[in-house]
Amino acid sequence: MVQQDEESEWDQLNRTNWKGLGLTDPIKNIEDKWLLLPAFLKVKGLVKQHIDSFNYFVDTDIKNIVKANNKVTSDVDPRFWLKYTDINVGFPDRNEENAIDKRVTPNECRLRDITYSAPIVVTIQYTRGKNIVQRNVHIGRLPIMLRSNKCVLTGRSEEQLARMIECPLDPGGYFVVKGTEKVILVQEQLSKNRIIVEIDNVKGIVQASCTSSTHGGLKSKTYVATKKGKIYLRHNSIHEDVPIVIALKALGIQSDKEILLLTAGNTDAYKNIFAANLEDAAKLGVFTRQQALEYIGTRVKINRRVMGPRRPAWEEALEALATIVLAHVPVKGLDFRAKAIFVATMTRRVLMAMEDEKMVDDRDYVGNKRLELAGQLLALLFEDLFKTYNSNLKIAIDKVLKKPSRTTEFDAFNTMRMQGDHLTTGFVRAISTGNWSLKRFKMERAGVTHVLSRLSFIAALGMMTRISSQFEKTRKVSGPRALQPSQWGVLCPSDTPEGEACGLVKNLALMTHITTDVDEEPIIRLAFMLGVEDICLTTGTEIYGPHTFVVNVNGTIIGVTRQPTRFVAQFRKLRRARRCSEFISIYINNHQRAVHIACDGGRICRPAIIVENGRPRVRSEHIRLLKQGKAMFEDFLQKGLVEYLDVNEENDTYIALYESDINPNTTHLEIEPFTLLGAVAGLIPYPHHNQSPRNTYQCAMGKQAIGAIAYNQFNRIDTLLYLSVYPQQPMVKTKTIELVGYDKLPAGQNATVAVMSYSGYDIEDALILNKASLDRGYGRCQVLRKNATLVRKYPNGTFDRLADAPLDETGQIAKKYDIIQADGLAGVGERVDPGDVYVNKQSPSNATDHAFTGQAASVPYKNTPLTYKSPVAGNIDKVLITDTDNDQTLIKVLIRQTRRPELGDKFSSRHGQKGVCGLIVNQEDMPFNDQGINPDTIMNPHGFPSRMTVGKMIELLAGKAGVLTGKLQYGTAFGGSKVEDMSRLLIENGFSYAGKDMLTSGITGEPLEAYVYFGPIYYQKLKHMVMDKMHARARGPRATLTRQPTEGRSREGGLRLGEMERDCLIGYGATQLLLERLMISSDKFEVNACSECGLMGYNGWCTYCKSSKKMAQLTIPYAAKLLFQELMAMNVVPRLILDDA
Amino acid sequence: MPSQTFDNRRLVGIHAERVTNVSNNEFPGHYPGEDHSWNLEKFKKNLTVTVQRLSQHSIDFDIVGVDASIANAFRRIMMAEVPTVAIEQVFVWNNNSVIVDEILAHRLGLVPLNVDPSLMKMREPDTTPTDQNTLVFNVDITCERNPKAPKGTLNPHELYINSEFLSSHITWTPAGDQEETFAAKRPAPINPNIVLAKLRPGQQINMELHAVKGVGKDHAKFSPVATASYRLLPHIKITKPIPPSKAEKFQKCFSPGVIKIDPRTKEVSVDEKNVRNDSVSREVLRHPEFADSVELSRVRDFFLFNVESEGPYAPERILPEAIKVMREKLAVIRQAALALREKTTTVDTDVVMADS
């Protein structure tokens, strides 16, 4: 009943005449149309792209892969076969044989260093003797993406999540493998199966290339390129470039006339350019298809493993052309027509580009890119592993079947169970190392996965939206790094790292969706139904006729149409009526005179409001329903009010930014302009007032801010965790902040800032902090560090043990053991001083002795304790004793330090303005205003002119107005609270409109001669703290090889006097200092050298001269002595020529 | 109240973008022919201290006729050098609440106590605590489920017993003769309702707290005041009559009550009694039509103090305490100065550096 009412209300709204309002009535603004955004995020979540992709893999793709490889037969017994009929991935469970409660939560996996994975079960049919048997077999385990539809967290309420010790704000989309959280980053690639035309101006080459990729994996790239003015077909499997005419003849187009029509059409310019190619073929004596095939056949690379009878060349050519060259174009029963037309189209595109340079494609255009997600990568991995699994199985089965007589009937089920966990280890290894090396698909990628950064909530979120490019970082090209206009709305313009990866690592904007594969068969049928003529029935004249447009589906040419606009309009109408998937895109390319339909996965798209007849289809009434919870985003899609546009289709639209911009040509309306930024850039208040690099800097720094990480932060044991003691939500919020939940997991505090100069300790962006603020808890943070150890059992039967604190001679417990309790572990809450032992572990001294067979208990033990190394004391926060997958006892100790800000700690506002603390000032010395308010922080005004971060100034103004009125203000991009209103609020509360207060110096007590910009700004404390960086050494450890001081803080290393410093000393002539720095204080070494032979001896004896007469002692760097010895080892004799200096 | 006029020399100029004449120039030799040498009689005549408002936690008073350095000295001493008693050491026997030991200790330190600091002595560093210099408090609180909780409630106060660790849970344990010394007022937090930690069943806190006497420059928790600050008396001079049509707009440029408008003539005048309430927002200087009809300024030696007490002192006691501290400091300086004079009269030797 309710359903029906709702339905009718919807229908009413969608009528053209509604409540007496006609089409010509003035357009009202749709209030709160941004509410569509939370509605969108509610269905899709922030990391929907990862989860959708994984779901597609688990539900659909995995079945397709198994279907493609579903049979295992035996070479030995032809009667044997085994067939996979189905495959299913279950829910994650505990991988322990006799566990009573099989349920497992991701948090348990994180804590116990195990993998959050689910069993993969296949249904098999096979022959056992004379019977056919059907069974279910577990073949391995698949790591499960959190919050995917196989995850136990999906669809749980906040309370249920709390029971599972999981944070409701955590986006999911990552894996837990061996206890670490791993993200498979989105990979950006050039789109497959599309023709890309490029010009190399240096070499004078025009080439059309097409990377074919079909399901089944084989990828190959085909080129149609010019060489010395003539056009050739080039492919890896053919040794030599094939003249294009020969290639076309081999593909079954024998007549020169037809070739000319299919490539150059009736355009004279193209005909002239192409003519030479026809002559070329004639010169080579290739006229018929047979001749062409022979020509190609002799040049095909043959790599057949099975040695069969040698086939004639033409057959080789036929096979190569049918299956390897442009593999994605279907060849049905040796009908090469479609492929021939595809090659002809490539040729034509080359001709067009030769004639007009503008006809090339842009590689960096986002519409020419596809994003590869976790699902696709896992699918490839699974296919590879599954094929290996099957071949292993086949070998194993053959081995058994080869045996002439068996006692029992052969059951393949048992062989399958014996197969081990090849799939499980394959998945775990790939995800935990990030190496995707699949020889079968010629794929060799490293660094595919990354550890999810849990530095802050935003760091984790930012990582989930990250896109890495396949492009090499070292090459110095600007094209791929530049901001593309087509990135609008789908990729964040601000969020990219600085330095080498700049512009190559990108981030998704807030409202983007990445498509998954949709079956193209029904779409082709739909296209034919809408009047597209089959391409195989057309000739060149028709294809390039004045009114015909070629119709492509996923890059393959399927037909032509004479009414492209009508066709596209009808197709869209069907899509809006949801007769096909909403993610299918269709657009007209007028340059290529083609209609492109795309339904492949990895396209980036975003929703937009449909505008019809100058009116947006979404109206206030719809939003009202949305507000009341009677409508969802899906309803908007269903009713054709909103649709997804991919980057290519965007080019075919006219999108109004605001409703006031709508004119009769407008086709769409943006939902909200601020969605063009990503989740990380969305934290910045008033970003549209900032200089753009500042927003980029903030995007990098927001990820280093210390704050709250997740609701389960106190139940996590991460390697390194930074937490803020008193985090606050910002006074000036943005809509994005509320959408991503940054207001619930903030990372910063609202500091009262005075923009003024103070004491000179604030130059170069340094900040002055108020000591009383620090006393009261401003900037206080906790650092939690994990220390883990395994109490192992060794293969020889010995084992590690934990011991209580040993007593010294006086019967006292030594100071360094004073926190060890009877179980050998430090007590929770105890203070750990530097050098203290907190896990008193002992290991057997013969653990590696495999021959050992004695009593394990009688073995001598040596101490292998965990000692606390940090220079500052900490506290034991948590101790976890558990066991891992392979029954080793795991002990994790979490040690906490609570830190208050000190000189040199790094802070930053949300506008890329970082600074270190330069001075901590007593409260009474700080300036104060009429209300007696002291600033928490003083910032030097020189930070503003060159940085041009006007947004920060507005943030202060809005924050101050907010504080005075007791409300939070908004600084949403391209909107937010207006400066005018903020000034008005300030005046109403008795403050200056400009936000500047009259301050009194705390030192002299007199008023300051200038007014000071004074108010709250959200400041983040960054993870870089002096305590972790300070380092000095007088004497210390040396490297064993060179006897020089060690390097690096962690090894208590020396500070290097480098080449440049050395140059200075040489230039200055300070030779004694040089000698002292480079030898005496470093690796001085006394050697005995023979002045006769110039070789080094020892103890005053020259082993070469067999004498001690001419020995001299001299001091050289040990590294020099080492060099001489190494040279001698290489049969080079370095001789020391000694002279009196 | 008679219309106040101030000598121009006493005024700090308030302009749209700057403040002028911030310093007092009335010192000997600055104005030719005038005697500005310090004179006790004159100082006594000029100095007035008036209490304007007194409430339980705050006091407003005026100090007129002193230099900024003196007023500022009082302000600084009130914030940083008037001693109070606060919790300094926390011995944790058990704490399994979500707030970890260090942070709970930090929070406890910031709780204001009602102990009269004059009854205690400062504890020298590295000395053992005695009943003279240390107060001992205890906390022992365990959270449990409330067996009598109403059905279906989600309110933690009803569901659990001791769901919050409040400042009132801090109890004093007398030692030595403290029972007598502090008989008048048992040492306890001033505000019993400060939430220090939230607890849930099974969590407990058991601690011993030691409170000592200290000063605000050491740590903000020892500061007896929430704010102690002053501002200068605003002064508004209307130099040209304001046209009646603009009168209301003019009035709105100041804090409420500062500008009077005669209901009949629409004549604008400054309310001398309420001018002290003006917030000096300089709004009037923003409007070009008023630019040359008004002069804003503040009186340089007219300090409107506002002191909020959050510690053991009654607000009116803080200034006398500050003066007491100041006198002690002066006594030290005087002694040093006298010693210096004695020394200089006898021998004139080189200064010996400490580390040579």
Side-chain angles (χ1 to χ4, degrees), chain B residues 177-336:
Chain B
D177 55 3
Q178 285 177 347
E179 192 83 68
E180 294 92 77
T181 324
F182 296 97
K185 199 158 67 176
R186 282 183 72 82
I190 289 176
N191 187 335
N193 297 318
I194 304 170
V195 180
L196 293 164
K198 294 202 173 182
L199 301 175
R200 286 297 175 266
Q203 297 182 343
Q204 57 174 308
I205 294 173
N206 185 3
M207 294 186 297
E208 185 175 311
L209 321 169
H210 288 189
V212 300
K213 189 170 162 182
V215 288
K217 62 181 173 188
D218 242 33
H219 193 283
K221 69 185 174 189
F222 291 116
S223 186
V225 293
T227 55
S229 80
Y230 60 77
R231 61 197 175 100
L232 302 179
L233 178 77
H235 185 249
I236 302 159
K237 192 168 149 199
I238 299 169
T239 50
K240 242 173 32 188
I242 306 294
S245 58
K246 300 261 171 76
E248 286 206 355
K249 187 179 177 189
F250 185 78
Q251 190 183 32
K252 278 211 175 129
C253 291
F254 296 89
S255 296
V258 172
I259 298 294
K260 283 187 296 196
I261 303 177
D262 192 301
R264 206 165 41 81
T265 56
K266 296 278 176 204
E267 198 192 351
V268 168
S269 62
V270 179
D271 186 329
E272 292 300 339
K273 216 171 115 192
N274 282 335
V275 74
R276 61 187 301 125
N277 293 336
D278 187 38
S279 67
V280 199
S281 69
R282 287 113 60 204
E283 175 64 8
V284 67
L285 303 176
R286 230 178 106 208
H287 302 285
E289 62 264 44
F290 301 137
D292 48 358
S293 43
V294 64
E295 265 176 24
L296 295 185
S297 51
R298 305 187 94 158
V299 184
R300 190 185 298 117
D301 59 352
F302 203 119
F303 298 97
L304 311 178
F305 266 87
N306 170 270
V307 176
E308 282 175 37
S309 164
E310 271 305 332
Y313 298 100
E316 68 274 17
R317 255 192 72 197
I318 292 181
L319 183 65
E321 288 293 328
I323 294 171
K324 213 194 279 172
V325 174
M326 194 170 190
R327 292 179 76 107
E328 280 164 25
K329 294 171 84 150
L330 287 175
V332 173
I333 289 177
R334 169 183 294 223
Q335 216 176 3

Side-chain angles (χ1 to χ4, degrees), chain A residues 608-675:
Chain A
I609 297 172
I610 299 170
V611 173
E612 262 179 6
N613 306 319
R615 292 189 64 179
R617 296 214 38 182
V618 174
R619 272 168 274 140
S620 312
E621 298 80 34
H622 296 125
I623 299 295
R624 206 194 64 232
L625 284 178
L626 188 72
K627 269 188 194 165
Q628 291 166 353
K630 285 187 186 163
M632 304 244 290
F633 192 77
E634 185 57 30
D635 296 314
F636 282 76
L637 275 177
Q638 200 82 49
K639 302 286 173 186
L641 310 180
V642 164
E643 69 179 343
Y644 285 102
L645 297 176
D646 82 350
V647 178
N648 281 312
E649 190 169 346
E650 253 182 345
N651 264 356
D652 215 15
T653 56
Y654 190 54
I655 307 175
L657 197 55
Y658 297 105
E659 276 174 279
S660 52
D661 302 334
I662 294 178
N663 63 27
N665 295 323
T666 308
T667 60
H668 293 85
L669 173 66
E670 290 283 352
I671 291 177
E672 262 307 314
F674 72 79
T675 57

Side-chain angles (χ1 to χ4, degrees), chain A residues 589-610:
Chain A
N589 186 329
N590 282 306
H591 295 284
Q592 296 165 15
R593 303 180 62 76
V595 175
H596 290 274
I597 303 173
C599 63
D600 51 341
R603 286 171 296 124
I604 323 177
C605 60
R606 67 196 185 100
I609 297 172
I610 299 170

Side-chain angles (χ1 to χ4, degrees), chain A residues 39 61 270 292 487 507 543 672 911 969:
Chain A
D61 221 14
Y270 301 162
Q487 282 185 18
N507 276 274
I543 295 174
E672 262 307 314
H911 303 269
Q969 295 293 344

